Amino acid sequence: MSYSQFIFTQLDPLSPKNVALISFDVPDSKVNVFSEQMLVELKEVLDRIVKDPGMKGVIFTSAKSDNFIAGADIKTIKSLQNDSPSKSYLASQFGKEIFDKIAALPIPTVAAVHGKCLGGGTEFILACRYRIASNAPATTIGAPEVKLGFIPGWAGTVRLPKLIGLQSALALILRGNEIDGKKAWRLNLVDECVDKEKLIDRAKEIILGKKARQHKQTFRNMLQRFLLEKNPFGRALIYKQAYKDVWRETKGKYPAHIEALKLVIKNFSRPVDKAYEAESNIFAHLATSTVSRNLVDIWLAQTESKKPPAHTGAVPTIKTVGVLGAGIMGAGIAQAAAFAGYKVVLKDIEQKFVDQGIKKISRLFDNLVTRHKISDDQRNKMFTAIKGTVNYEDMQDCDLIIEAVLEDMKVKSEVLSLCEVTSKKQVIFATNTSSLSVNELAKPSNHPDRVVGIHFFNPVHKMPLVEIVKGEKTSAETLAAAQAFALKLGKTTVITGDAPGFVVNRILTPYLREALILLEQGVPPELIERAATTFGMPMGPFTLLDEIGLDIGAKVMHVLHAAFGERLSPPSLLNQLASSKLLGRKGGEGIYDYDDKGRRRQFNPDILAAIKAPPNKKYISEVQDRLFLIMLNEATRCLDENIITEPSQLDLALIYGIGFPPYRGGILRYADSVGIKIVHQKLAFLSTVAGENYAPTNTILEKVASDSNFYS
């Protein structure tokens, strides 16, 4: 067969049992994705099958080792976004036309799924008469389109609810989650779940008449589905509850979720042709929206961030990871490394600290078992891969050592020297510092080329970003090894230069500082918090400060003050908080008060009493400008200083590092959307009323002069 995207064979071609095996295999790609070319070739394959009178059935599978079809080609979607909605509408209709050809085949069709089957891949298997999935961990099925700001566009909103029920379909479509083969079988999304090695044989048996072992629904489930889904009143109840859940999650900032909900409910009772038309229209509208463009750009930036830095030598292989310091960060890093399959040595200065760290790790693994993310056997295997110690000699076989000790250069330098003395290998030494210099740390090292920053955020198991910090002498091979390690942990990485605060803390600090200054000036704290959350931040700046820890926040701000001068001087209120020994949530008292279980109660009355300025109410938009334009100014300084060079990577760092609202695309995309000239005018005005910190930077001035944006 000459088609580039497929491998076409016929099982038993000389016997009456003539079954075709069609394997998806996009050339020069690790994953199969639906492009326009692939759909055209699939249409030709289907036409050929229709013309073969001896064909008894068709099995669709993948030639890739760990994916079936990962969805539509995102670059194709990006090109559609740059065109008119009519092009997106036609693309949606064309996909339906192809998949309808599969559904209309007069012979049995079986999708034999192993690996990722997402988005358009899920819509494809829905068009097949039967679906079987492997029970391997690599197999996941889902409809993640809302995460990119649009909806399933190839009849997914029509076929999925009819197959698995309205409520189950809404759960998949609105959350965008992936489920494994076993759960897909329990939902009746697939007809059978088998070992990977049996997929093709079972698919062939099903085509030749042997029934699939479908999961039997309970009478209660069938009755509930009938009562709720088969009448308009029940569907109205489903819609009402789902709408509440969606609004709570999205606050109306992500229109695809609401539109998907409305469409699925309405399409459930529509004629197929009307349902198809409605789906294509809404898909086209959403796919070309600003929100979807921003979300797709974030996805592309994340893909770009996975590319290793250019290097000529061999990248060191990491098998055993050492972690110095068994506190919150050290324990979190050790647990994440063990979860990713590494052997781990966790060291602290006293056995009691080691024991405390091991207990933290145990609780993290137990929580994964409780949430059904791993089995008891997996938990035990991962947990026993961690060795606690108080001796440096136990770390001599580590390939990578990450320090998470006190934020003190002298202490960090001492542990680096001791590791170099005891190590038997050319160990990579990484610092988890949030603000100290990687270059300074590398100076006393005998191998400064093997010193690098790997900056995790707290809590490690929840925060998705890791900053990989390149010192002046860090080798490209060390940098690539550090990035590969973080990627294996499932983190999103950005590579930054060495400067105080790197990128995330450097840009976050002025935002938090400005919130404290506004509070000092009499602006109500609840207004400041609301200004941030209505902008799209996951929490207000004071909630975030308490979560970080006021002691840590003060330390970082003092480091940045020493590096950058008065524009980042700690507000007097922060110094007052530090002198009062208020720690934030971990200490039970900070800007907020907390109960014994760490639940927030109210603004700390002692803090409010310390504010001497009279009440100073402002419009939310004014407060937002104060908070986010100061952040923008600092972001442009990071670009000026080449701490990070690509706007997309800077925006990615803020989205995954501080929760900057993804629908806005990042601080630099936000500036582009407002308009650089308007941003300049606002900064110039604020510099006269709120301080020179707001004076437009050289980058802003240059872009105004050249009438350009951060993104082309």
Side-chain angles (χ1 to χ4, degrees):
M1 182 177 177
S2 62
Y3 304 111
S4 63
Q5 314 281 330
F6 302 95
I7 300 170
F8 190 123
T9 58
Q10 285 178 248
L11 309 179
D12 301 325
L14 301 179
S15 77
K17 301 175 181 178
N18 194 5
V19 178
L21 178 68
I22 300 174
S23 294
F24 293 99
D25 191 18
V26 176
D28 303 319
S29 175
K30 292 182 179 180
V31 297
N32 291 322
V33 290
F34 276 123
S35 62
E36 183 178 5
Q37 179 188 355
M38 187 174 181
L39 288 172
V40 169
E41 292 186 7
L42 178 57
K43 182 177 182 295
E44 294 172 2
V45 169
L46 296 173
D47 289 340
R48 175 177 168 179
I49 289 171
V50 169
K51 293 176 183 178
D52 188 340
M55 194 71 69
K56 301 296 183 184
V58 183
I59 300 169
F60 294 100
T61 188
S62 169
K64 307 296 186 186
S65 62
D66 61 356
N67 69 91
F68 182 74
I69 301 173
D73 181 13
I74 299 298
K75 291 181 179 178
T76 299
I77 292 172
K78 185 63 186 171
S79 68
L80 290 172
Q81 290 182 328
N82 294 328
D83 215 318
S84 65
S86 62
K87 291 291 182 67
S88 295
Y89 172 86
L90 292 174
S92 175
Q93 290 288 77
F94 183 59
K96 290 186 182 71
E97 177 189 336
I98 305 303
F99 292 177
D100 275 356
K101 278 182 171 289
I102 298 170
L105 286 174
I107 54 177
T109 54
V110 181
V113 179
H114 172 73
K116 286 192 177 294
C117 178
L118 305 174
T122 298
E123 292 180 287
F124 169 82
I125 69 173
L126 290 172
C128 296
R129 193 177 302 181
Y130 303 100
R131 293 153 297 280
I132 58 174
S134 82
N135 53 24
T139 296
T140 57
I141 302 173
E145 286 88 347
V146 292
K147 293 183 177 180
L148 294 176
F150 49 87
I151 62 169
W154 289 334
T157 65
V158 181
R159 287 196 172 101
L160 188 60
K162 298 290 175 65
L163 179 67
I164 66 173
L166 199 53
Q167 296 177 90
S168 296
L170 283 172
L172 282 178
I173 293 172
L174 299 182
R175 293 173 188 161
N177 293 340
E178 302 173 28
I179 59 174
D180 60 26
K182 291 180 180 177
K183 186 169 183 179
W185 176 67
R186 290 195 296 270
L187 289 177
N188 279 343
L189 177 50
V190 299
D191 299 287
E192 196 169 316
C193 189
V194 300
D195 294 339
K196 176 188 173 184
E197 295 74 20
K198 298 178 180 178
L199 265 179
I200 302 303
D201 288 341
R202 282 297 298 132
K204 184 179 173 184
E205 289 173 353
I206 289 169
I207 282 176
L208 299 177
K210 189 172 182 179
K211 288 185 178 181
R213 294 184 285 271
Q214 291 182 320
H215 183 259
K216 292 183 179 179
Q217 298 294 305
T218 66
F219 175 77
R220 180 180 178 180
N221 286 342
M222 290 188 291
L223 180 62
Q224 183 182 40
R225 183 171 167 182
F226 174 80
L227 293 175
L228 282 175
E229 300 180 7
K230 298 300 182 181
N231 68 86
F233 300 107
R235 293 194 293 273
L237 287 174
I238 293 172
Y239 173 81
K240 185 177 181 180
Q241 183 57 51
Y243 187 90
K244 287 181 181 178
D245 294 340
V246 167
W247 189 265
R248 185 172 59 251
E249 289 292 322
T250 68
K251 306 296 189 295
K253 306 294 187 183
Y254 299 86
H257 293 73
I258 296 294
E259 293 298 329
L261 171 59
K262 292 177 181 176
L263 182 67
V264 169
I265 294 291
K266 290 179 180 178
N267 275 356
F268 198 75
S269 57
R270 276 176 174 153
V272 170
D273 59 337
K274 299 292 185 184
Y276 277 13
E277 180 74 11
E279 182 187 80
S280 293
N281 277 319
I282 293 173
F283 170 83
H285 167 71
L286 291 169
T288 53
S289 68
T290 299
V291 170
S292 184
R293 287 192 181 101
N294 287 342
L295 295 176
V296 167
D297 283 332
I298 292 166
W299 189 94
L300 292 170
Q302 190 174 21
T303 301
E304 188 68 22
S305 74
K306 296 176 182 178
K307 293 181 179 178
H311 57 276
T312 55
V315 176
T317 300
I318 297 172
K319 293 182 179 179
T320 303
V321 177
V323 181
L324 295 171
I328 293 174
M329 290 302 297
I333 295 168
Q335 188 270 339
F339 183 75
Y342 291 103
K343 291 182 179 178
V344 180
V345 180
L346 178 64
K347 182 197 174 297
D348 214 310
I349 55 175
E350 293 185 35
Q351 188 62 44
K352 67 178 181 180
F353 298 136
V354 175
D355 294 341
Q356 289 168 3
I358 294 294
K359 285 181 181 178
K360 293 187 187 87
I361 293 168
S362 179
R363 287 195 296 268
L364 288 171
F365 277 124
D366 289 343
N367 186 47
L368 289 172
V369 173
T370 301
R371 292 162 52 210
H372 305 290
K373 298 294 183 181
I374 57 174
S375 67
D376 284 317
D377 288 342
Q378 289 172 315
R379 177 239 187 257
N380 294 334
K381 183 179 179 181
M382 294 170 184
F383 185 66
T384 54
I386 301 172
K387 177 182 180 180
T389 185
V390 295
N391 300 312
Y392 279 100
E393 289 74 16
D394 289 327
M395 307 187 80
Q396 59 187 353
D397 290 321
C398 292
D399 306 294
L400 166 68
I401 295 176
I402 306 171
E403 68 77 18
V405 299
L406 292 174
E407 193 74 349
D408 181 282
M409 183 60 75
K410 183 180 179 181
V411 175
K412 292 180 186 293
S413 297
E414 287 175 355
V415 298
L416 167 58
S417 298
L418 288 167
C419 287
E420 287 189 341
V421 169
T422 56
S423 179
K424 289 182 178 179
K425 296 185 175 183
Q426 292 187 342
V427 64
I428 294 173
F429 187 85
T431 173
N432 184 54
T433 180
S434 60
S435 58
L436 300 179
S437 172
V438 175
N439 291 328
E440 285 297 313
L441 183 63
K443 280 182 180 179
S445 171
N446 296 321
H447 306 284
D449 59 309
R450 299 205 296 268
V451 178
V452 66
I454 303 182
H455 178 217
F456 291 86
F457 293 82
N458 187 34
V460 175
H461 66 287
K462 288 184 178 180
M463 295 299 289
L465 183 74
V466 170
E467 290 177 310
I468 308 296
V469 185
K470 183 182 186 303
E472 289 177 0
K473 296 186 177 180
T474 305
S475 71
E477 291 73 26
T478 295
L479 202 65
Q483 181 198 42
F485 165 73
L487 289 173
K488 189 173 178 181
L489 267 58
K491 302 298 184 181
T492 294
T493 63
V494 291
I495 295 177
T496 82
D498 182 38
F502 312 129
V503 170
V504 172
N505 285 335
R506 167 84 176 269
I507 298 172
L508 176 64
T509 299
Y511 163 82
L512 297 175
R513 177 181 182 273
E514 200 63 24
L516 290 169
I517 290 173
L518 285 165
L519 185 59
E520 287 179 336
Q521 293 173 351
V523 179
E526 60 272 9
L527 175 61
I528 300 169
E529 294 275 84
R530 191 164 68 251
T533 55
T534 55
F535 184 85
M537 297 294 283
M539 63 183 72
F542 302 134
T543 305
L544 179 58
L545 266 169
D546 274 358
E547 289 289 331
I548 293 170
L550 296 174
D551 55 335
I552 294 173
K555 190 173 186 67
V556 171
M557 203 169 293
H558 281 289
V559 169
L560 296 183
H561 177 212
F564 299 113
E566 283 307 301
R567 66 183 177 83
L568 287 178
S569 61
S572 58
L573 181 59
L574 184 63
N575 291 328
Q576 182 180 338
L577 292 169
S579 63
S580 300
K581 306 296 183 183
L582 298 181
L583 299 178
R585 185 176 179 181
K586 64 186 177 185
E589 190 177 8
I591 300 176
Y592 286 95
D593 275 338
Y594 299 87
D595 64 17
D596 294 339
K597 295 183 178 179
R599 292 176 298 201
R600 192 177 71 183
R601 293 191 298 191
Q602 61 182 357
F603 283 106
N604 189 333
D606 294 336
I607 301 299
L608 298 181
I611 306 300
K612 304 304 181 184
N616 180 12
K617 290 192 175 181
K618 291 181 178 292
Y619 291 111
I620 280 184
S621 60
E622 293 180 79
V623 177
Q624 288 174 340
D625 283 347
R626 290 277 295 267
L627 294 175
F628 296 104
L629 291 183
I630 199 75
M631 186 184 285
L632 171 64
N633 251 7
E634 204 63 40
T636 65
R637 292 188 180 98
C638 288
L639 292 175
D640 288 343
E641 298 165 21
N642 288 321
I643 307 306
I644 193 166
T645 57
E646 289 296 323
S648 64
Q649 295 303 296
L650 185 148
D651 279 339
L652 188 72
L654 295 187
I655 287 165
Y656 283 97
I658 67 171
F660 193 91
Y663 80 95
R664 292 189 183 273
I667 190 68
L668 301 178
R669 279 209 185 274
Y670 169 67
D672 282 355
S673 69
V674 172
I676 298 298
K677 290 183 178 179
I678 294 175
V679 165
H680 171 262
Q681 291 169 359
K682 288 186 173 188
L683 285 169
F685 169 74
L686 286 172
S687 69
T688 65
V689 298
E692 279 300 306
N693 272 9
Y694 287 98
T697 60
N698 289 334
T699 295
I700 297 291
L701 294 174
E702 288 169 4
K703 292 198 176 298
V704 170
S706 61
D707 195 23
S708 61
N709 293 324
F710 290 101
Y711 294 88
S712 59

